[in-house]
Amino acid sequence: MIIPEPYRIKAVEPIRLIPRPEREIKLRQAHYNLFNLRSEDVFIDLLTDSGTGAMSDCQWAGLMRGDEAYAGSRSYYNLESSCRDVFGHRYFVPAHQGRGAENVLFPLLIKPGQMVIGNMHFDTTRAHIELKGGQAVDCVVPEAYDTSDGHPFKGNVDINRLEGLIDRNGPQKVAFLLVTVTCNSAGGQPVSLSNLRQVRRVADKYNLPLFLDAARFAENAYFIKKREQGCEAKSIREIVREMFSLADGFTMSAKKDGLVNIGGLIGIKENRDLYNRVRANLVPIEGFPTYGGLAGRDMEALALGLQEVVEESYLQARVGQVEYLGKRLLDAGIPIQQPVGGHAVFVDAGKFLPHIPYRQFPGQALAIDLYLEAGVRAVEIGSFLLGRDPATGVQIRSPLEFLRLTIPRRVYTNSHMDYVAESLAAVHRRRDKVRGVRIVEEPEVLRHFTARLDLL
Ligand code: F0G
């Protein structure tokens, strides 16, 4: 029995597939880097789920009610009460997006040389840890690295390794623990409640703070409800409260599960001193604590988005759509990270294109071919993204070579998903003809955004 989306469409935005010869020209002009394409030359844009979602009629109406006062905005107080309601933490400040929140919080927690240990850090999170002189350490369960392993919680922290790391280095060498829910870099894979409880126990044992990177918290809660024993009867709201009750605070990019196009948050459970320091640090970086880099209307829309995202019927359609695309790809014999994650299908480009070595970036080769085939833009998450060892300049080999088909929230229908699946299946049928790529020009940091490439 098909359960349709719990909404209907009120406004539409035209999209256009430019002819193949034009796609070839546009791609050449973009130096084979899909970040350089204009979005009007993309038919279906699966680059990211960040800030690309559709707002509801209530959120659009909320924009009009936004209070643009510099200090004490009503929209700030609406956001604060929505946050308290959903997360159960006492203190909140807005930020303009996730990395803004990281930039404000991390320097207050990290002393140079200290580690931040988590499941798998997102790349801007890693960058902010390193910018503060810290060391970002990934400690996810080994199942995360095997795309055919069906483990239901591939975002879990490897508890034994975590304890080993703290014991070996000493707790004073660790700034805090940071668990990313869902774990984006592992394929949008969830973390179980029992794993979070175990991480909490470790944090207590060594007296370390535990934070969440909560960009996709609601999708994580949905997976807990569906997959974790004893959680079937709990509501999404209850699960969210339980997840956050285990953490001392969180940073969040609201561009994902906040259901808004821009925004971020820092939450602090009860540490008033830390909250005061966060507020003080926010002012010169993001702005006064009652707006933190957002317009009043953005805070109003976020206050509403947080309430909409914890609706189970919404999450069922959302995660169901990603699962639907995953199933279509599996039916076509395409290797993907299994089980399918919450926000994207991660195609195993290493297995898809075994003739292309990591130095020729199979994920990027596949992204290029899919755009030429169908005007679909996806993103490489593999060795091209990872870059070079800063000390030696040698290309690092990523343990996984992914092509991420990231699904914006409430934007595309399943017939768009059918089109994407059929297009990728067409590439799969002639996969041995797909060519690797080489880098022609690259900047020193975050090269994947601007590097110029060529086909081999
Ligand atoms: N943490 C996670 C887990 C993320 O996925 C992102 C962004 C951030 C932090 C940073 O948030 O973009 O609001 O500053 N992920 C996007 C992506 C960009 O495409 O996966 P931001």
Side-chain angles (χ1 to χ4, degrees):
M1 176 74 176
I2 293 172
I3 303 171
E5 289 84 353
Y7 48 84
R8 54 190 175 190
I9 295 165
K10 187 171 262 183
V12 294
E13 179 184 3
I15 49 174
R16 190 170 78 94
L17 177 62
I18 59 171
R20 169 134 191 163
E22 273 185 51
R23 299 204 290 278
E24 285 170 7
I25 294 167
K26 298 293 180 187
L27 200 55
R28 217 174 308 126
Q29 288 170 345
H31 301 282
Y32 297 96
N33 185 335
L34 285 83
F35 281 100
N36 292 336
L37 286 173
R38 288 185 182 211
S39 95
E40 63 196 8
D41 298 325
V42 174
F43 185 39
I44 295 179
D45 203 347
L46 306 184
L47 190 67
T48 178
D49 64 326
S50 184
T52 53
M55 293 204 295
S56 67
D57 53 349
C58 286
Q59 287 178 292
W60 281 105
L63 291 189
M64 208 57 220
R65 290 197 307 269
D67 175 357
E68 304 303 338
Y70 188 95
S73 157
R74 181 182 62 240
S75 300
Y76 165 78
Y77 290 106
N78 286 345
L79 176 59
E80 185 187 56
S81 66
S82 183
C83 285
R84 282 193 179 146
D85 175 46
V86 171
F87 303 114
H89 286 199
R90 186 162 171 74
Y91 304 114
F92 297 91
V93 291
H96 83 280
Q97 61 182 85
R99 64 201 74 180
E102 292 162 3
N103 193 29
V104 168
L105 180 70
F106 289 0
L108 304 176
L109 300 173
I110 303 173
K111 290 196 206 89
Q114 280 187 318
M115 299 190 290
V116 177
I117 313 177
N119 41 0
M120 265 172 117
H121 300 298
F122 181 67
D123 42 342
T124 63
T125 315
R126 177 177 300 279
H128 275 297
I129 293 168
E130 287 168 2
L131 282 169
K132 286 22 174 217
Q135 193 194 343
V137 182
D138 289 348
C139 191
V140 74
V141 290
E143 288 87 344
Y145 295 105
D146 178 356
T147 54
S148 58
D149 188 310
H151 191 292
F153 290 103
K154 280 179 157 179
N156 278 357
V157 176
D158 184 333
I159 299 294
N160 286 339
R161 248 187 75 210
L162 173 66
E163 287 214 58
L165 267 166
I166 304 173
D167 278 334
R168 266 200 311 285
N169 293 282
Q172 71 287 350
K173 262 306 279 284
V174 183
F176 63 101
L177 309 180
L178 181 68
V179 181
T180 305
V181 290
T182 59
C183 187
N184 184 6
S185 314
Q189 298 294 320
V191 179
S192 70
L193 259 184
S194 66
N195 188 255
L196 277 178
R197 281 191 208 105
Q198 285 173 298
V199 178
R200 177 75 257 169
R201 246 174 264 137
V202 175
D204 287 341
K205 179 172 163 192
Y206 296 99
N207 201 20
L208 294 170
L210 166 59
F211 282 76
L212 298 179
D213 178 350
R216 300 177 182 85
F217 73 95
E219 289 165 10
N220 198 92
Y222 181 75
F223 282 121
I224 288 174
K225 183 176 168 78
K226 291 288 150 186
R227 297 183 185 167
E228 190 159 351
Q229 250 191 352
C231 296
E232 310 80 5
K234 292 182 185 174
S235 71
I236 297 293
R237 281 177 179 275
E238 283 169 333
I239 296 171
V240 168
R241 280 288 191 113
E242 211 168 328
M243 284 165 57
F244 283 81
S245 74
L246 295 165
D248 297 298
F250 65 91
T251 55
M252 177 176 166
S253 165
K255 299 170 75 172
K256 288 84 170 172
D257 276 352
L259 296 180
V260 287
N261 303 110
I262 195 75
L265 287 168
I266 299 172
I268 292 159
K269 192 176 170 192
E270 55 200 11
N271 184 337
R272 191 173 172 85
D273 172 56
L274 179 61
Y275 170 61
N276 285 336
R277 290 192 295 137
V278 162
R279 278 166 58 99
N281 208 24
L282 193 77
V283 178
I285 298 174
E286 295 285 287
F288 190 73
T290 63
Y291 74 86
L294 293 177
R297 54 180 167 270
D298 296 329
M299 294 190 286
E300 198 70 39
L302 176 53
L304 294 161
L306 290 172
Q307 298 294 323
E308 291 177 10
V309 81
V310 292
E311 286 293 326
E312 187 174 342
S313 58
Y314 156 75
L315 286 166
Q316 184 170 36
R318 159 68 177 161
V319 176
Q321 182 171 55
V322 182
E323 225 172 74
Y324 175 79
L325 175 60
K327 181 162 182 330
R328 294 270 340 230
L329 296 179
L330 279 174
D331 288 347
I334 294 169
I336 60 170
Q337 170 73 295
Q338 294 186 70
V340 173
H343 68 298
V345 178
F346 283 63
V347 176
D348 189 333
K351 281 192 192 159
F352 192 118
L353 301 171
H355 61 289
I356 300 184
Y358 74 94
R359 284 182 230 87
Q360 297 177 13
F361 311 118
Q364 186 63 19
L366 195 52
I368 289 168
D369 214 282
L370 181 61
Y371 175 72
L372 287 176
E373 173 71 29
V376 174
R377 174 159 68 172
V379 67
E380 191 262 10
I381 307 243
S383 297
F384 178 50
L385 173 80
L386 206 56
R388 296 174 187 278
D389 183 322
T392 63
V394 174
Q395 173 63 49
I396 311 169
R397 179 177 193 166
S398 169
L400 292 164
E401 301 290 350
F402 281 133
L403 177 75
R404 186 179 78 170
L405 302 166
T406 338
I407 318 297
R409 293 169 181 79
R410 307 192 287 204
V411 169
Y412 293 114
T413 66
N414 279 4
S415 65
H416 293 109
M417 298 300 115
D418 288 337
Y419 174 80
V420 171
E422 280 165 29
S423 308
L424 201 58
V427 177
H428 193 243
R429 281 192 292 278
R430 53 171 179 73
R431 58 191 174 277
D432 47 345
K433 306 229 165 43
V434 176
R435 290 144 68 190
V437 293
R438 70 184 176 90
I439 296 178
V440 179
E441 218 181 285
E442 63 185 298
E444 254 178 53
V445 286
L446 295 175
R447 69 172 182 197
H448 59 289
F449 291 125
T450 53
R452 295 179 168 192
L453 305 159
D454 206 352
L455 291 176
L456 284 164

